[in-house]
Amino acid sequence: QILPQNKEEIMNEISIMMFPALTKDLYAFGKDRDLEKLKRTYDGLLSDVKAAGYVGTDMFAYETMIFGEDFVKERLAANGLIAASYIYFDKFAISSADFEKECLQNAKRAAETAKKLGAKVLMLVPSAHEGIEELSPSEIRKNLIANFTPVTAYAKTLVEHVVVEDTPDLRLCFCKASEVKEVLDNVSGLELVYDSG
């Protein structure tokens, strides 16, 4: 038998992405700017995650941007949860010169935040940038390789796994197995999260 036989054992292996559950509350926050109310909602969600039997959360970088690293770390601990992974979005497909100027330091800070929260996994998610349609698929992958390389090298000194997700956006031409393999083969230490969706 590969899988554990009871729910408790299975749930001890599973973390959950809870940030999407905040969508309506973030919309309300955009209007009322009541950060304390949003913090209470967030803490309630963490409590629900724990009550449901999960070991931790797959955390979006937006969570620490909104609430602050210290608050998030403290509320995770108070609810008996871990940050299983830290998910960071950026324009990884822009030219390497632009990435170094605009994004590299932020990406490195994301790795540092992942370590501070105790996450063993840093997930790098490329976001399509304005003008991406003007680049060829091979240019996009060349940029992904150039930009993932220094971030992965730095992050690997801080966390166990640096991963990317296939098919984050069709415009990134990072969907077919051959496209993903080209990037993984050229970025030392980078691993794959397979998103079957």
Side-chain angles (χ1 to χ4, degrees), residues 25-38 66:
D25 302 287
L26 288 169
Y27 179 75
F29 173 69
K31 291 183 170 186
D32 63 29
R33 308 309 293 174
D34 189 342
L35 183 58
E36 292 307 311
K37 181 172 83 173
L38 189 61
I66 293 167

Side-chain angles (χ1 to χ4, degrees), residues 16-27 29 38 41-42 45-46 49 56-67 72 87 89:
I16 188 168
M17 197 180 289
M18 63 170 234
F19 188 74
L22 275 176
T23 302
K24 68 177 179 61
D25 302 287
L26 288 169
Y27 179 75
F29 173 69
L38 189 61
T41 301
Y42 183 74
L45 282 172
L46 290 173
V49 166
T57 70
D58 298 302
M59 182 167 295
F60 282 34
Y62 302 126
E63 293 171 53
T64 54
M65 291 175 193
I66 293 167
F67 301 114
V72 169
I87 304 167
F89 295 75

Side-chain angles (χ1 to χ4, degrees), residues 25-154:
D25 302 287
L26 288 169
Y27 179 75
F29 173 69
K31 291 183 170 186
D32 63 29
R33 308 309 293 174
D34 189 342
L35 183 58
E36 292 307 311
K37 181 172 83 173
L38 189 61
K39 283 182 173 181
R40 287 191 299 273
T41 301
Y42 183 74
D43 198 38
L45 282 172
L46 290 173
S47 178
D48 291 344
V49 166
K50 180 65 175 178
Y54 293 96
V55 67
T57 70
D58 298 302
M59 182 167 295
F60 282 34
Y62 302 126
E63 293 171 53
T64 54
M65 291 175 193
I66 293 167
F67 301 114
E69 294 174 11
D70 292 334
F71 174 81
V72 169
K73 184 175 182 179
E74 190 273 325
R75 294 323 300 160
L76 282 170
N79 283 285
L81 295 168
I82 64 166
S85 65
Y86 190 71
I87 304 167
Y88 178 71
F89 295 75
D90 213 333
K91 299 179 287 187
F92 287 100
I94 62 175
S95 73
S96 56
D98 287 340
F99 186 81
E100 187 170 342
K101 184 169 57 178
E102 299 175 24
C103 309
L104 181 57
Q105 290 310 311
N106 290 334
K108 286 182 173 182
R109 273 195 293 275
E112 293 162 5
T113 300
K115 179 177 174 56
K116 180 176 180 176
L117 294 174
K120 294 182 178 180
V121 178
L122 172 65
M123 181 170 167
L124 306 175
V125 183
S127 304
H129 61 275
E130 185 177 339
I132 195 169
E133 294 81 5
E134 297 167 16
L135 299 176
S136 70
S138 62
E139 287 175 311
I140 291 170
R141 286 191 297 281
K142 179 181 173 187
N143 291 347
L144 290 174
I145 291 165
N147 298 329
F148 282 146
T149 296
V151 176
T152 301
Y154 182 72

